[in-house]
Amino acid sequence: MVGSIEVPSNNSYSNGLMQNNNGFEDKLNELRKFLGKSDGDLLKIVGVGAGAWGSVFASLLQDSYGPFRDKVQIRIWRRSGRAVDRATAEHLFEVINSREDILRRLIRRCAYLKYVEARLGDRVLYADEILKDGFCLNMIDTPLCPMKVVTNLQEAVWDADIVINGLPSTETREVFEEIRMYWKERICMPLIISLAKGIEAELGPSPRIITPTQMINQATGVPIENILYLGGPNIASEIYNREYANARICGAEKYRLPLAKFLRQPHFIVWDNSDLVTHEVMGGLKNVYAIGAGMVAALTNESATGKSVYFAHCTSEMIFITHLLTEEPEKLAGPLLADTYVTLLKGRNSWYGQMIAKGQLSLDMGDSISGKGTIQGVSAIEAFYELLSHDSLNVLHPDANKPVAPVELCPILKILYKILITREQGVEAILQALRDENLNDPRDRIEIAQTHAFYRPSLLGYP
């Protein structure tokens, strides 16, 4: 088919290990029945976007359900034309030759020679081409299972039953606006699971936050109950290497319960939750504060004390912000807290903060970094700051006893904005902010938030 790279599936193996398919066929049959699929009618699942987490998520489904080709089709879409640079091609060649199982697989598929040629500089590899063989451009060191890759968006989504949004939040609206054109004739709308962690701020006519699930709803007209969010303490490469992990799928009960069961695996436990707003907003917020965590770690030479002080203050700001947006948000505990912790500890946003603080990256390089993808925390810092500093919003400052913009109670967010967006301050300013003797006790900020006095339903577009 035009625009497609179809790959024969050999999904009894993942990373060279035999997979136990016991129970997966039953779960697949149960979801097919729930969605009204008849015999001979494939359940069609497509991932849109092939960053690290999007690729791993699609690969997990391929590993688990790929053998049942008469019942399910799993594919992933990414744009064509993205070239793999020479240095990455050389590193990819080293990864291939360090893994006997991967080497044998490529030789058996007659795909090894192109990597030799790329290593020698005799040809150019492309991101969609290597994804077919199980290599994600943003995660070269973790080979995945072979994938069925589609580079034509219309072909990928037009009859999909389940769409996985693996795009950065900054690209979600644009791509789903295009997808809307392909769904005009659909009678039954698909289910959409969004993995995106980021937000947009819309300042006029009144300030409000827009999450990826809302972007998809606005762009496509798909009912909001058909759109779910999945997030958790997930480092993509570790999950694919079978490290224990958990996540929550949030949204309408009708769909989240059967989807949670379908997605659950022995090493990847999926719970369900109704609080879509808190989880999605926290998904964006944790990337904001992860950048600062990386800066603090680098500037203090990995001081446990410094990082713990930062953690106390940043989590109190996160709690404060979610109470502005949700009347009764879920507490920052359990998987929500774990998600925040792992992102501050190890993730691309934390890595980015470290590299900026060490001078190994420049702000002029932008927020799309080779080998890492989009650093979503940068755009989220700008969005949250603009939203919470809008002159139409105010809260009562506990010490000054006067109305102030909500951002005035979020000093870390303020300083990150001045470092990364306006560039008024250098990275050392984040330590100065933590050492400010006038900084409010994190406990005070949490107590203020939990009074619910600051809840602003209009910030999510509610009347």
Side-chain angles (χ1 to χ4, degrees), residues 352 355-357 359-367 369 420 423:
Y352 178 78
M355 294 300 101
I356 291 293
Q360 296 180 21
L361 287 178
S362 164
L363 294 178
D364 293 331
M365 296 172 68
D367 59 1
I369 307 299
L420 294 168
R423 305 185 189 180

Side-chain angles (χ1 to χ4, degrees), residues 34 225 228 249-260 272-274:
F34 174 76
E225 74 166 6
L228 303 100
I249 188 164
C250 307
E253 181 177 1
K254 176 181 177 181
Y255 296 117
R256 73 174 191 265
L257 294 176
L259 285 172
D272 71 282
N273 192 277
S274 62

